[in-house]
Amino acid sequence: MDEELISKKDLLIETGISYGQLYRWKRKDIIPEDWFIKKSAYTGQETYFPKEKILERIQKIKELKDDLSLDELAEQFSLKPAEINMSKEEIVNRNIVTSAAADIYEENITKKSRYNFQYILEIFIFNNILSTGHINVEEAVNIIKNYRTLQERHKDKLLKIFYIRKYGIGTCIIGVVPCEFYAEEDCKIILNIEVSEKIEELKIKLNE
């Protein structure tokens, strides 16, 4: 299914931001350049954006911009790993993940005295997967292990995690972004996780 787009004109009207703000945020990489999609129109070329992503990003910017400078916002939305090192107790106490998810992660995947950003991201995604209620522990553990294998192989790439179920049998598919995935009619898509979005969510939680 094609992603719904919104024109630049409609975006400015709907969000109440100015042309100058939009392009300032673009220059700072607060809004990714690849979200600015050029399409032919009867007036020439017009700029469109992935509607859901851009509206959500602008809402987050509005919520944070009074407390953060442009440079701090750029760091907030950067997909580079944050410089951080935390114990399991700190991760749980800051409500990044539940105690139950952290315990299961340590019992089945990795146990460390301190976790850097990449490991915290793994636990965060693991927590998200379990919280759906549609994935059991064994499946969630296998998803994270597969994700780690692919992430180590494609260190500079962003990944997308799919989990499908057909006749009760689950299958994990991990793609390198950009990627599209189409399941058979009788397959149910249980998970569709953009790792880049989880990085953003985690950075916001770490700054709360």
Side-chain angles (χ1 to χ4, degrees), residues 86-133:
M86 299 171 71
S87 67
K88 182 186 79 171
E89 289 72 24
E90 289 173 304
I91 297 168
V92 171
N93 289 340
R94 291 179 62 174
N95 296 317
I96 293 166
V97 303
T98 65
S99 177
D103 288 343
I104 296 168
Y105 177 90
E106 288 198 333
E107 288 167 11
N108 294 275
I109 302 173
T110 297
K111 182 173 183 178
K112 290 177 171 289
S113 58
R114 309 286 295 180
Y115 294 94
N116 65 18
F117 184 85
Q118 292 296 354
Y119 281 103
I120 298 171
L121 177 63
E122 277 190 6
I123 305 172
F124 184 65
I125 294 173
F126 184 68
N127 185 85
N128 274 247
I129 292 170
L130 289 178
S131 69
T132 66

Side-chain angles (χ1 to χ4, degrees), residues 45-61:
Q45 270 202 334
E46 290 191 13
T47 301
Y48 292 81
F49 303 86
K51 185 174 182 179
E52 186 177 346
K53 289 180 180 177
I54 191 73
L55 291 177
E56 183 180 347
R57 175 61 59 87
I58 288 174
Q59 180 59 37
K60 287 180 182 175
I61 293 169

Side-chain angles (χ1 to χ4, degrees), residues 1 17 27 34 149 159 203:
M1 185 181 292
I17 65 170
R27 285 194 300 273
D34 59 8
T149 299
L159 302 181
K203 283 191 171 184

Side-chain angles (χ1 to χ4, degrees), residues 3 53 121 125 158-162 175 177-179 191-201:
E3 192 169 26
K53 289 180 180 177
L121 177 63
I125 294 173
L158 289 171
L159 302 181
K160 193 168 186 176
I161 301 169
F162 295 98
V177 176
C179 62
L191 292 177
N192 183 352
I193 297 175
E194 292 268 7
V195 174
S196 61
E197 292 176 3
K198 295 305 169 189
I199 293 172
E200 289 176 16
E201 290 175 23

Side-chain angles (χ1 to χ4, degrees), residues 25 28-30 57 60-61 64-80 82 200 203-204 207:
W25 295 339
K28 285 287 189 179
D29 289 327
I30 296 169
R57 175 61 59 87
K60 287 180 182 175
I61 293 169
L64 296 170
K65 68 183 181 65
D66 291 337
D67 299 318
L68 300 177
S69 68
L70 280 180
D71 287 337
E72 288 170 331
L73 278 171
E75 173 58 30
Q76 177 71 61
F77 293 112
S78 166
L79 297 179
K80 295 177 182 176
E200 289 176 16
K203 283 191 171 184
I204 288 171
N207 285 325

Side-chain angles (χ1 to χ4, degrees), residues 5-13 46-49:
L5 301 178
I6 185 171
S7 69
K8 179 170 63 180
K9 178 182 176 182
D10 289 341
L11 176 69
L12 298 181
I13 292 170
E46 290 191 13
T47 301
Y48 292 81
F49 303 86

